[in-house]
Amino acid sequence: MKHSIFTVILLLSIFNFNVVAQSDTLSNKYENSADNLLAGNGKLMIAGYGEVHYNQPLSSTIRNNGTLDVHRMVMFLGYNFNSKTQFISELEFEHTGAEVYVEQAFVQHKINNFINLKAGLMLIPMGIINEYHEPTTFNGVERPLVDNKISPTTWREIGVGFSGNVFPASLKYQVYLVNGFNGYKVDKAILNGKDGLRSGRQKGIESYISAPNFTGKIEYYGIRGLNLGLSGYIGNTQSTLYDKLDKSNDAALAKADSSVVKIAMIGVDARYNLGGLQMRGQLYYSDIANTEQYNALTKKDLGSAM
């Protein structure tokens, strides 16, 4: 059976804010919707977009119904307290309001022209799609599979760190300390081989932390049309078995240690534009340590690499 998939995408701009990712005159220094709002000079900033999906399987022998879904309606709200301090939020209603999420909510304070302090619920800067996940910024209806399972878009966590541009070197950077994936919560293992890391996202929803994680990305945009990115993420998954743990209880400590895996993820990506030609590629590698102990404790099948 062969399948074809169609989509209709509705984009909505409010107050003349274009929320689709933009690039500057070099066509390679990219900005997402939050970046566009941060560049605004009004007090209150409002923007948004909507996305309607139509999926239709096609077969020469079997008749199939199509599905229609108001997949998401998104509202951005930003506020400039002054020329240095700003607040950005992104509220998402999925499947006609069946699910409601806060996708971003952070404060940014400009220290100088090269350094910004950021704190709150932020996107993890891995690869391309997680930061540039709005419709029309990628080819296709649903987000790519690699950005669903390995870098689980939309991947956001609560944290604090720094971001900025080193303009003389044509470099953009981000470095954050964040809470990690939920790996084991209330006697239940969260991660498995089938779903990868996706089910471990805490998304700022009653998150807990047993060990901080580190993530960062650096982009080079000094060659016209070319953007090169190198991103990384490292840290332990979180486990509620450490909560109220007696440090002298060796057996309980060993069990808690077995409920945790260490993730070291690296990503490289490239985007190149030449007139109407657009090319992009990305590669992720995740090394996952302590999976034998994790699987033995939880009866799961989490792999040691993705």
Side-chain angles (χ1 to χ4, degrees), residues 83-103:
S83 61
K84 290 183 176 292
T85 306
Q86 300 163 287
F87 170 74
I88 296 294
S89 67
E90 180 181 356
L91 307 176
E92 181 166 319
F93 303 85
E94 292 196 356
H95 314 298
T96 321
E99 300 175 10
V100 181
Y101 294 106
V102 178
E103 199 151 287

Side-chain angles (χ1 to χ4, degrees), residues 25-229:
T25 54
L26 283 175
S27 298
N28 58 345
K29 180 176 170 288
Y30 294 89
E31 296 179 337
N32 60 20
S33 301
D35 293 328
N36 287 335
L37 287 183
L38 288 170
N41 53 17
K43 270 291 185 182
L44 177 65
M45 299 171 290
I46 303 175
Y49 69 86
E51 187 175 2
V52 177
H53 288 185
Y54 169 41
N55 292 275
Q56 178 64 65
L58 298 179
S59 170
S60 60
T61 58
I62 299 175
R63 179 173 175 175
N64 297 282
N65 286 337
T67 59
L68 293 161
D69 184 25
V70 181
H71 198 129
R72 53 180 59 91
M73 291 291 294
V74 178
M75 180 67 68
F76 289 88
L77 297 173
Y79 188 78
N80 286 331
F81 295 98
N82 51 50
S83 61
K84 290 183 176 292
T85 306
Q86 300 163 287
F87 170 74
I88 296 294
S89 67
E90 180 181 356
L91 307 176
E92 181 166 319
F93 303 85
E94 292 196 356
H95 314 298
T96 321
E99 300 175 10
V100 181
Y101 294 106
V102 178
E103 199 151 287
Q104 297 185 77
F106 64 87
V107 173
Q108 175 174 292
H109 178 73
K110 181 179 179 180
I111 298 176
N112 56 42
N113 289 335
F114 304 102
I115 304 174
N116 300 303
L117 174 65
K118 293 174 69 173
L121 181 65
M122 301 177 292
L123 296 174
I124 302 297
M126 286 295 302
I128 299 175
I129 302 298
N130 197 52
E131 291 191 278
Y132 303 93
H133 56 265
E134 296 94 344
T136 75
T137 62
F138 56 90
N139 297 321
V141 182
E142 313 295 345
R143 292 161 184 166
L145 184 62
V146 67
D147 298 288
N148 184 280
K149 303 297 185 184
I150 300 179
S151 177
T153 304
T154 305
W155 181 12
R156 69 273 193 192
E157 299 293 352
I158 296 172
V160 62
F162 299 94
S163 67
N165 277 279
V166 183
F167 297 104
S170 300
L171 292 175
K172 177 182 177 181
Y173 70 90
Q174 300 177 73
V175 288
Y176 306 121
L177 278 177
V178 297
N179 67 283
F181 286 108
N182 175 16
Y184 193 92
K185 188 173 185 178
V186 192
D187 297 324
K188 180 181 178 181
I190 306 300
L191 304 178
N192 59 68
K194 176 184 176 182
D195 298 321
L197 302 174
R198 186 167 188 81
S199 56
R201 298 173 303 161
Q202 298 204 63
K203 300 182 280 189
I205 303 172
E206 297 182 341
S207 301
Y208 71 101
I209 184 169
S210 54
N213 285 210
F214 171 84
T215 184
K217 182 174 185 179
I218 187 168
E219 296 177 52
Y220 175 71
Y221 54 87
I223 300 173
R224 181 173 296 277
L226 180 65
N227 181 289
L228 300 174

